[in-house]
Amino acid sequence: MCTECDFRTELFKRRILVDTGIDGLPARSGMFESVITGFDNLITSFGGGDHPEVMRFPPAMNRARFEKSGYMKSFPQLAGTIHAFNGTDKGHATLLDKLMGGEDWTDQQEATDVVLAPAACYPLYPTVAELGPLPDEGRLYDLQSYCFRREPSKDPARMQMFRMREYVRIGTPDQVTDFRQTWLDRGRELMSKLAVPFDVDVANDPFFGRAGRMLANNQRDQRLKFELLVPIESTEKPTACLSFNYHQDHFGTLWGIRTAKDEVAHTACVGFGMERVALALFKHHGFDTREWPAPVRKALWG
Ligand code: AMP
Ligand code: ZN
């Protein structure tokens, strides 16, 4: 375990991650990616037997759907939008002049109809609503996507773009709360196989501003979010590596998803922070995966 050394410096020095000059935007080495692949497979070994529908959304999503999702109400500080140049030759000349002159040239761009996905499950709900009422057994999805959150940090476990694997359950309140309980148990079992220290605790999302504090308190009081935390950058403030979220009828109401009995559907998701789990493994088992404990290697790579 890396205690006396600076974990981030060591990751870069050994080129497990490669600095690109922007905090939270490193390149990943082959060794790092092999851990991500191993963990991805481990997740599937726990969740694949439930036969989820696998979907892979691109890391950008429909802006109109993003706007409707209410993300800007809750997390305006984290959102990333995509802008592009859509002008004429004259506009192009202005853009280049500004660029050459070291001025801000980005005012020559306009917002496009796509934004960066803030979580793997955001693009899913409207596509489920389009299918009509849920079958009796509800629906279950397996997602993975690169996600963007504008939270630059020196903490290697706080990235601006990172991969989130998710299982998402859509159905009756009972189906959905059973799912979350199952994953709270599985999450513990899964992380035990990786032999890293962890704790599970009630949590809240980083809702913005004064109104956000109330939302965060409410989320905690109702125990809607749990996190599985592993000490990575600091032992006092362990890092959330897995999240277990119960959205109640929020997305069901928003997108008009109905159950087979024509009630508003409830939703829950379990999210795995792929890079964070990989970093937790490097932190606790060292910088060379070949020297990791045999049971951990077996859990990841068979
Ligand atoms: P959340 O939607 O905030 O519960 O995020 C789901 C999972 O994504 C978390 O449990 C983390 O493991 C991971 N995650 C969230 N934010 C970041 C970040 N900035 N960098 C890396 N992983 C993150
Ligand atoms: Zn989700």
Side-chain angles (χ1 to χ4, degrees), residues 178-239:
D178 280 357
F179 162 87
R180 191 173 70 156
Q181 189 52 51
T182 300
W183 274 105
L184 274 161
D185 298 338
R186 284 179 181 170
R188 288 190 180 93
E189 200 188 326
L190 194 153
M191 293 304 278
S192 302
K193 284 191 183 291
L194 298 182
V196 294
F198 66 82
D199 239 326
V200 175
D201 204 356
V202 69
N204 63 267
D205 288 310
F207 293 103
F208 184 77
R210 199 148 18 116
R213 262 204 300 279
M214 246 168 55
L215 292 171
N217 289 336
N218 183 43
Q219 192 182 27
R220 275 181 175 270
D221 292 346
Q222 295 198 62
R223 300 168 76 77
L224 298 180
K225 185 180 190 81
F226 286 87
E227 288 174 340
L228 186 149
L229 304 139
V230 183
I232 302 179
E233 203 24 27
S234 104
T235 29
E236 296 92 70
K237 248 189 124 257
T239 303

Side-chain angles (χ1 to χ4, degrees), residues 72-234:
M72 291 308 287
K73 238 190 258 166
S74 299
F75 314 108
Q77 78 281 21
L78 298 179
T81 54
I82 299 181
H83 289 62
F85 175 68
N86 185 30
T88 58
D89 279 333
K90 189 158 162 276
H92 185 207
T94 310
L95 187 158
L96 290 180
D97 278 348
K98 289 189 163 197
L99 184 59
M100 305 300 181
E103 283 175 63
D104 178 20
W105 55 274
T106 57
D107 62 353
Q108 297 300 306
Q109 292 190 310
E110 288 171 9
T112 65
D113 54 3
V114 289
V115 300
L116 293 166
C121 66
Y122 269 73
L124 174 70
Y125 305 108
T127 69
V128 175
E130 281 171 351
L131 297 173
L134 300 172
D136 283 330
E137 67 279 14
R139 294 190 187 278
L140 174 67
Y141 292 93
D142 166 341
L143 310 177
Q144 202 226 57
S145 171
Y146 255 104
C147 299
F148 176 86
R149 292 186 188 173
R150 179 66 186 164
E151 43 184 0
S153 168
K154 294 283 178 211
D155 175 355
R158 187 170 296 282
M159 296 184 164
Q160 296 200 59
M161 296 205 83
F162 54 92
R163 275 158 290 182
M164 201 188 289
R165 176 91 182 266
E166 285 197 47
Y167 287 110
V168 184
R169 185 80 171 103
I170 307 180
T172 64
D174 279 352
Q175 288 169 338
V176 159
T177 49
D178 280 357
F179 162 87
R180 191 173 70 156
Q181 189 52 51
T182 300
W183 274 105
L184 274 161
D185 298 338
R186 284 179 181 170
R188 288 190 180 93
E189 200 188 326
L190 194 153
M191 293 304 278
S192 302
K193 284 191 183 291
L194 298 182
V196 294
F198 66 82
D199 239 326
V200 175
D201 204 356
V202 69
N204 63 267
D205 288 310
F207 293 103
F208 184 77
R210 199 148 18 116
R213 262 204 300 279
M214 246 168 55
L215 292 171
N217 289 336
N218 183 43
Q219 192 182 27
R220 275 181 175 270
D221 292 346
Q222 295 198 62
R223 300 168 76 77
L224 298 180
K225 185 180 190 81
F226 286 87
E227 288 174 340
L228 186 149
L229 304 139
V230 183
I232 302 179
E233 203 24 27
S234 104

Side-chain angles (χ1 to χ4, degrees), residues 11-12 14-18 26-39 146 163 274-275 278 282 287-290 292 297 300-301:
L11 288 167
F12 286 150
R14 294 167 185 262
R15 293 181 77 78
I16 291 170
L17 295 179
V18 179
R28 284 77 163 150
S29 64
M31 187 161 62
F32 190 88
E33 285 303 292
S34 72
V35 178
I36 298 272
T37 305
F39 182 53
Y146 255 104
R163 275 158 290 182
M274 303 304 290
E275 281 81 359
F282 283 107
F287 293 106
D288 189 344
T289 54
R290 288 167 301 189
W292 287 4
R297 291 180 52 83
L300 290 170
W301 300 298

